[in-house]
């Protein structure tokens, strides 16, 4: 073989090698097909903005709303507001369950205000809700999806998904994983001494989802209470110079006051945004597979999550329990992504 031919073959081999490499890196950076189920809620709004600012990583198929922090009409309005603020009216919003499966409804107006978001002016967004109900949307979308392809970010009570699972248990096939903001283990709850709000607001729904066999990740208070705002972090967001930075700065300034006073913390958690950060940069978080149950019995432990962190009971592991997070990494990510918005 001539020298020229040898060089030519070498070049061809390099080109083939490089294209295989780039195909696999495209695969590694594959977009996540995502449905966000939410009850905005101040921290839900921040989570929605973070997700909608990350289109190269998250393909947000739809937003489904549920009653939780405030009534369903208000959570649905606030989800549409977040979509408008992000300039992402292309993402459909579906309203879902107006009340929990079994228990009487509770709201968190003491934390999120009468409208569900404080610190910013609220208006009726131009774009409305989709016609379909969120539960039907979940069933139709998950049935039509490629097996194991859709991730669900669960930022409120789990009523919508539980209703969908009861009506159509086969939809688990379409689900890749459900990443839940909820639960508390090591440091107690935020609505009772042992229960976290989302689980307490509809423990029966959480129980249905836990028993469905879907892959679950829990982002509980254990970790969200380690990822706290500070004056410096909020100043950086507020001084981004765009509408999103101003909005999030103003919303969080109000939102964190309660938790700071209640827990005597130097800053406040932004719970739901940690779920989106987990999807965008899982390396910021750590945890372990556990056996997880939720208490649905009336009484002082109603809504409590019991995560068998030390595998004491030797029961099957049914959830990945996130225990630690990189707070500065979270705020760097949030600030950078908000900086992309209008
Ligand atoms: C959770 O409860 C709600 O008030 C927040 O939006 C968050 O989803 C924190 O306990
Ligand atoms: Ca929420």
């Amino acid at each position: 073989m001539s020298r020229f031919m040898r060089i030519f073959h070498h070049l061809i081999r390099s080109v083939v090698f490089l294209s295989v490499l780039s195909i696999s890196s495209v695969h590694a950076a594959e977009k996540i097909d995502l449905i966000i189920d939410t009850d905005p809620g101040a921290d839900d709004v921040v989570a929605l903005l973070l997700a909608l600012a990350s289109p190269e990583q998250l393909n947000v198929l739809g937003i489904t709303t549920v009653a939780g922090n405030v009534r369903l009409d208000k959570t649905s309005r606030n989800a549409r507001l977040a979509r408008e603020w992000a300039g992402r009216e292309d993402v459909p919003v579906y309203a879902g369950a107006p009340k929990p499966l079994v228990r009487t409804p509770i709201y968190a107006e003491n934390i999120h205000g009468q409208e569900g978001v404080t610190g910013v002016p609220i208006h009726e967004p131009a774009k409305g809700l989709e016609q379909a109900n969120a539960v039907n949307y979940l069933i139709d979308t998950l049935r039509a999806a490629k097996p194991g392809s859709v991730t669900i970010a669960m930022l409120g009570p789990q009523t919508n998904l539980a209703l969908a699972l009861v009506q159509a248990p086969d939809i688990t096939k379409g689900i890749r994983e459900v990443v839940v903001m909820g639960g508390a283990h090591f440091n107690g709850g935020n609505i009772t001494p042992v229960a976290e709000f989302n689980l307490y607001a509809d423990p029966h729904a959480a129980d249905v989802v836990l028993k469905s066999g879907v892959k679950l990740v829990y982002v509980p208070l254990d970790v969200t209470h380690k990822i706290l705002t500070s004056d410096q972090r909020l100043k950086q967001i507020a001084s981004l110079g765009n509408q999103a930075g101003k909005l999030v700065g103003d919303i969080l300034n109000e939102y964190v006051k309660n938790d700071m006073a209640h827990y005597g913390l130097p800053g406040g958690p932004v719970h739901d945004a940690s779920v989106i950060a987990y999807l965008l940069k899982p390396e910021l978080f750590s945890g372990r597979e556990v056996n997880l149950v939720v208490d649905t019995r009336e009484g002082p432990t109603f809504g409590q999550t019991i995560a068998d962190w030390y595998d004491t009971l030797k029961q099957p592991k049914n959830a990945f329990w996130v225990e630690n997070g990189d707070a500065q990494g979270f705020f760097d990510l949030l600030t950078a992504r908000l900086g992309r918005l209008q």
Side-chain angles (χ1 to χ4, degrees), residues 163-185:
L163 286 168
L165 284 165
V166 168
Q167 288 177 56
D170 59 293
I171 62 173
T172 53
K173 281 203 297 288
I175 298 177
R176 175 166 158 175
E177 64 180 354
V178 180
V179 186
V180 172
M181 191 285 127
H185 183 68

Side-chain angles (χ1 to χ4, degrees), residues 39 41 43-44 69 108 112 155-156 181 190 196-198 221 255 271-272:
D39 63 335
D43 56 327
D44 302 75
N69 286 318
H112 297 263
L155 310 182
M181 191 285 127
N190 59 358
E196 180 279 330
F197 177 80
N198 290 337
L221 297 183
Y255 175 60
H271 310 284
D272 294 336

